[in-house]
Amino acid sequence: MRSVGQIVAASGLPRHEAQRLLEWATGMDRVAQIAHPERILPNEQATRVAALIARRLAGEPLAYMLGEREFWGLAFKVGPAVLIPRADTELLVELALERIPREGATRVLDLGTGSGAIAVAIAFERPDATVTGVDISAGALSIATENAARHGANIRFVQGNWFEALADGDLHSAGAFEIIVSNPPYIADGDPHLLCGDLPREPHSALVAGIDGLTALRAIAARAKAHLVSGGWLLLEHGFEQGAACSDLLLAAGFTAVQTWPDIAGLPRVTGGRID
């Protein structure tokens, strides 16, 4: 039999990951683990923890195992149908919120909403905003709908491929939105980063965008203008080497005030522009 401290130390995982799995399997939080490392787990719990550690060592993302990930201070349900929300993407939310008044029904479109993390964070902070989330994946929209309900966010979710999802009703009208945000696929097919971390287990279609990683970004930049009001903004997350390319795409599409902002690591991460 091994103690809590021994299980964590021998897990082969980063300490915080082993502690999270142990807490999930036993209900013993990190504080209790640190305070009582000598505690011996019942056989059933020890077996459960060992199985979880083995799954994580085999590459299963921790967020998928736990079933949720924190983003913008909120807990989001996640699973293999959606990308795992990451802290870098909070920059996209920050930039959108800077452009959305605290009062008034600003219309916001989130393209490729996935888990709904961006859309829900915006709706949570700006409850007067009218937020629409689009995704081609029915599985992703099911998770996004659950996340919106969890946080009391009134969001309209629509299934379809980028702007094609807006083919019906009021969403199709010209200049339907003040803000369009997107964290689309932007990794090049064959990029070695696809073999790193959790990426091999995340949905390929939500990661990869053609041989240069710009296919989705091109499609959005080319068509966004028709769906924005005068003065409206398009904000796009992209890879750290794609800032210049995204700026060129927005300028070519007629956007002004084009700018690229760095993420928490100081790397170019979001590029945006305005329609005059």
Side-chain angles (χ1 to χ4, degrees):
M1 293 188 295
R2 286 182 170 181
S3 68
V4 165
Q6 289 172 329
I7 290 171
V8 170
S11 67
L13 296 174
R15 188 176 187 84
H16 72 279
E17 290 194 3
Q19 290 173 331
R20 288 290 306 281
L21 290 175
L22 198 148
E23 178 179 0
W24 188 58
T26 70
M28 187 178 184
D29 64 24
R30 183 172 179 271
V31 173
Q33 293 175 40
I34 293 172
H36 301 286
E38 77 288 349
R39 183 175 297 177
I40 302 298
L41 295 182
N43 287 337
E44 181 181 349
Q45 289 187 350
T47 299
R48 190 182 312 147
V49 172
L52 290 171
I53 289 171
R55 286 168 57 190
R56 180 61 183 135
L57 288 172
E60 187 170 350
L62 182 64
Y64 290 168
M65 295 176 67
L66 300 176
E68 67 177 35
R69 169 63 65 87
E70 182 179 311
F71 178 83
W72 201 257
L74 305 171
F76 285 88
K77 176 180 178 179
V78 295
V82 299
L83 290 182
I84 300 166
R86 289 165 169 83
D88 288 343
T89 302
E90 292 188 354
L91 173 62
L92 192 60
V93 176
E94 292 173 7
L95 293 168
L97 293 175
E98 289 174 3
R99 290 158 177 79
I100 302 173
R102 292 191 174 274
E103 297 180 357
T106 302
R107 296 163 296 177
V108 181
L109 175 63
D110 176 23
L111 291 171
T113 195
S115 67
I118 295 167
V120 171
I122 290 172
F124 183 83
E125 296 289 348
R126 299 289 188 270
D128 288 344
T130 301
V131 182
T132 300
V134 168
D135 205 287
I136 199 169
S137 166
L141 290 178
S142 177
I143 290 176
T145 300
E146 288 188 50
N147 283 324
R150 174 187 287 195
H151 298 295
N154 184 21
I155 300 172
R156 178 178 182 176
F157 290 109
V158 185
Q159 185 176 3
N161 186 38
W162 307 129
F163 295 105
E164 294 171 13
L166 310 180
D168 297 322
D170 60 308
L171 295 179
H172 183 59
S173 60
F177 301 97
E178 279 80 24
I179 303 283
I180 297 176
V181 296
S182 183
N183 176 19
Y186 56 72
I187 300 177
D189 194 11
D191 189 309
H193 289 96
L194 291 168
L195 302 176
C196 301
D198 293 332
L199 295 185
R201 301 294 188 98
E202 295 184 84
H204 188 80
S205 62
L207 292 167
V208 177
I211 59 173
D212 61 0
L214 296 171
T215 300
L217 291 162
R218 283 194 193 95
I220 295 169
R223 297 184 60 188
K225 184 176 180 179
H227 296 273
L228 286 164
V229 300
S230 178
W233 280 84
L234 172 64
L235 298 166
L236 297 171
E237 180 171 336
H238 51 72
F240 68 90
E241 295 180 332
Q242 296 172 326
C246 284
S247 293
D248 290 343
L249 290 173
L250 267 60
L251 290 168
F255 286 85
T256 63
V258 173
Q259 183 177 346
T260 298
W261 293 268
D263 61 20
I264 54 178
L267 300 173
R269 184 60 59 188
V270 174
T271 295
R274 186 180 67 234
I275 290 297
D276 290 335

